[in-house]
Amino acid sequence: MLATRSTAELIGSGQEGTVMDQARAYLQRVRHGEMGALPAIGGFIVLSVMFTILSPFFLTERNFANLLTQAATLVMLGMALVFVILLGEIDLSAGVTSGLTMCIFVVLVNVNGFNWIVALLIALLTGVAIGSFIGFFVARVGIPSFVVTLGLFLGFQGLELIIIGSGGLYRVQTPEILSIMNSNLPIWAGWAMLAVILAVSLTTSLWDRARRTRAGVPNRTIALVWIKLGVILVIGGIVVGLLSNDRGTGFKPVSGVPIVVPITLAILWAGTFVLDRTKFGRYIYAVGGNAEAARRAGVKVVLIRWTAFIVCSTLAVVSGLFSISKVGSVDAAAGRDIVLSGVAAAVVGGVSLFGGRGRLLHAAIGALVIAVITNGLGLLNLPAGVNYVVTGGVLILAATVDAVSRVRAGGSLTRR
């Protein structure tokens, strides 16, 4: 009985065997429609190559750092939305939740003289309260998430006007907040960050293998662990090396990894750990795949849905923090326009709108694709309208790929 329970708590790793066995199994899954983030990765590469050819400024140290900071806000919001999209739900209020909580934060600091740490904690608790409110009406009362969050999307804009005032604007005066998006790590810290990433990845992989061994479950070949570490080392080394070069235009050198990068990676790792290696994460996928089957299996569906909205709103606060750090101010329109881009980031990255399929990394990749489009078109001095058209086209294409791949995998286009 103990072995059965331990086995049930492990991550399913699919077909075991050699590296070639794993490669063939992956190709088989792709042919059956389980492409994950593969289209988004392909799009990212194609777009990067295209903009590198069209603009001499795209593949430079300065623009690369700008691209990472521009994408950070959308990456965080996209990851927040993954928790509810995996359930087949939506949170249209996530963007204005980020804006409203930042309005509260800046007023507490600038007007009421609160310590910025206390004000940030209040903002985060406000995000928890908002998520709890949404979760209650969606999970307990049974109102569709679209309706509840659309109502909050409209209502929170009114609260922002009340707090900030029509046409009002507050500047962010906290150096620690401003440094998140506008300052860089020392060069040595960037390489130390890469070493920590490698160590954490290795430790996590070996821990997973040890758990499977204790439970008597077959492990994949150890070569896959070394391949993954090698990929992280190569890509991470290129990124850190590129950002370690001086990208300043004046007398003062500017170099190093932006501070926002390790913060985002830490949250990405923590969220991925929760979804991949905890009961809560497995239950989210189960409820998103088939809520009724999950309920009959003993999953507390109401609690899972409720908690997912709390996590989403809380991470939306972090996204708002990134935004005000980048912009340096908060106005009454904060967060109004970003939520649909967050949904687009998740869908473009391969998170299924039908629920039950996707990962936080997919949303991060999708956000990078959208950031590349925005950044590249900006460098080409094309009108803003072109950006919306291209992004919309990419979103429709990604949603189509999701729907077609779901049918090919044996699913349906209707929720169960």
Side-chain angles (χ1 to χ4, degrees):
M1 188 69 175
L2 179 61
T4 302
R5 186 181 301 113
S6 299
T7 301
E9 294 178 355
L10 296 174
I11 307 169
S13 64
Q15 179 181 338
E16 313 302 337
T18 65
V19 173
M20 290 305 299
D21 292 332
Q22 294 294 324
R24 283 192 290 266
Y26 175 74
L27 292 175
Q28 186 70 16
R29 291 195 298 272
V30 170
R31 283 195 292 266
H32 282 82
E34 298 181 27
M35 290 183 285
L38 188 60
I41 294 173
F44 177 81
I45 294 172
V46 170
L47 288 169
S48 297
V49 171
M50 181 181 71
F51 286 127
T52 299
I53 295 173
L54 295 177
S55 172
F57 304 106
F58 181 79
L59 198 61
T60 61
E61 294 90 344
R62 185 178 184 185
N63 189 61
F64 185 63
N66 288 338
L67 181 63
L68 292 179
T69 54
Q70 288 170 6
T73 300
L74 190 55
V75 167
M76 189 56 57
L77 188 62
M79 291 195 299
L81 288 164
V82 167
F83 283 89
V84 295
I85 294 176
L86 284 176
L87 297 174
E89 305 287 354
I90 195 68
D91 185 355
L92 296 177
S93 67
V96 286
T97 293
S98 70
L100 175 63
T101 52
M102 289 304 100
C103 289
I104 294 172
F105 169 81
V106 74
V107 168
L108 288 176
V109 174
N110 290 15
V111 178
N112 298 309
F114 276 57
N115 178 274
W116 72 270
I117 297 177
V118 175
L120 182 57
L121 288 175
I122 293 174
L124 289 169
L125 290 174
T126 304
V128 172
I130 291 171
S132 300
F133 180 87
I134 299 171
F136 172 78
F137 281 98
V138 174
R140 178 65 67 182
V141 180
I143 303 176
S145 58
F146 180 89
V147 177
V148 176
T149 58
L150 178 59
L152 293 181
F153 172 77
L154 298 173
F156 285 170
Q157 293 180 53
L159 287 178
E160 289 185 74
L161 285 170
I162 293 172
I163 294 172
I164 298 294
S166 180
L169 181 145
Y170 285 93
R171 294 198 175 278
V172 179
Q173 301 174 353
T174 308
E176 292 84 356
I177 300 299
L178 292 171
S179 66
I180 293 174
M181 297 285 272
N182 298 288
S183 298
N184 307 296
L185 298 173
I187 293 178
W188 65 265
W191 293 108
M193 178 194 72
L194 178 57
V196 170
I197 292 173
L198 289 169
V200 170
S201 180
L202 176 60
T203 302
T204 304
S205 296
L206 295 179
W207 179 59
D208 288 338
R209 294 178 66 84
R211 293 175 67 203
R212 295 178 66 84
T213 299
R214 287 195 301 269
V217 179
N219 270 302
R220 290 175 173 178
T221 173
I222 190 67
L224 290 176
V225 175
W226 306 125
I227 291 173
K228 182 177 73 171
L229 292 175
V231 171
I232 294 174
L233 178 61
V234 171
I235 296 177
I238 292 173
V239 170
V240 175
L242 191 63
L243 294 174
S244 296
N245 295 324
D246 181 17
R247 52 184 182 272
T249 56
F251 294 103
K252 184 178 180 180
V254 178
S255 59
V257 177
I259 291 176
V260 71
V261 172
I263 297 174
T264 303
L265 290 177
I267 296 175
L268 172 61
W269 179 85
T272 301
F273 185 91
V274 168
L275 287 178
D276 285 356
R277 296 174 175 83
T278 66
K279 287 183 178 180
F280 171 69
R282 291 192 297 277
Y283 290 166
I284 280 186
Y285 285 105
V287 173
N290 191 320
E292 180 58 24
R295 184 189 66 80
R296 294 186 179 185
V299 176
K300 297 180 180 178
V301 175
V302 171
L303 181 61
I304 294 300
R305 283 180 168 156
W306 204 330
T307 307
F309 278 101
I310 293 175
V311 174
C312 177
S313 295
T314 305
L315 290 180
V317 177
V318 182
S319 173
L321 188 67
F322 288 176
S323 178
I324 67 169
S325 175
K326 180 68 175 177
V327 178
S329 63
V330 181
D331 59 26
R336 184 179 301 175
D337 301 323
I338 194 176
V339 66
L340 294 182
S341 296
V343 175
V347 176
V348 168
V351 180
S352 176
L353 283 172
F354 298 96
R357 190 170 63 188
R359 306 186 71 197
L360 293 187
L361 181 61
H362 295 173
I365 295 172
L368 285 174
V369 171
I370 294 176
V372 165
I373 294 172
T374 303
N375 182 275
L377 293 178
L379 290 174
L380 297 177
N381 293 319
L382 293 177
V386 176
N387 181 26
Y388 287 112
V389 171
V390 173
T391 304
V394 171
L395 175 58
I396 293 173
L397 178 61
T400 303
V401 170
D402 175 35
V404 173
S405 64
R406 183 180 179 87
V407 172
R408 290 185 62 186
S412 67
L413 295 181
T414 57
R415 290 185 60 192
R416 293 170 286 180

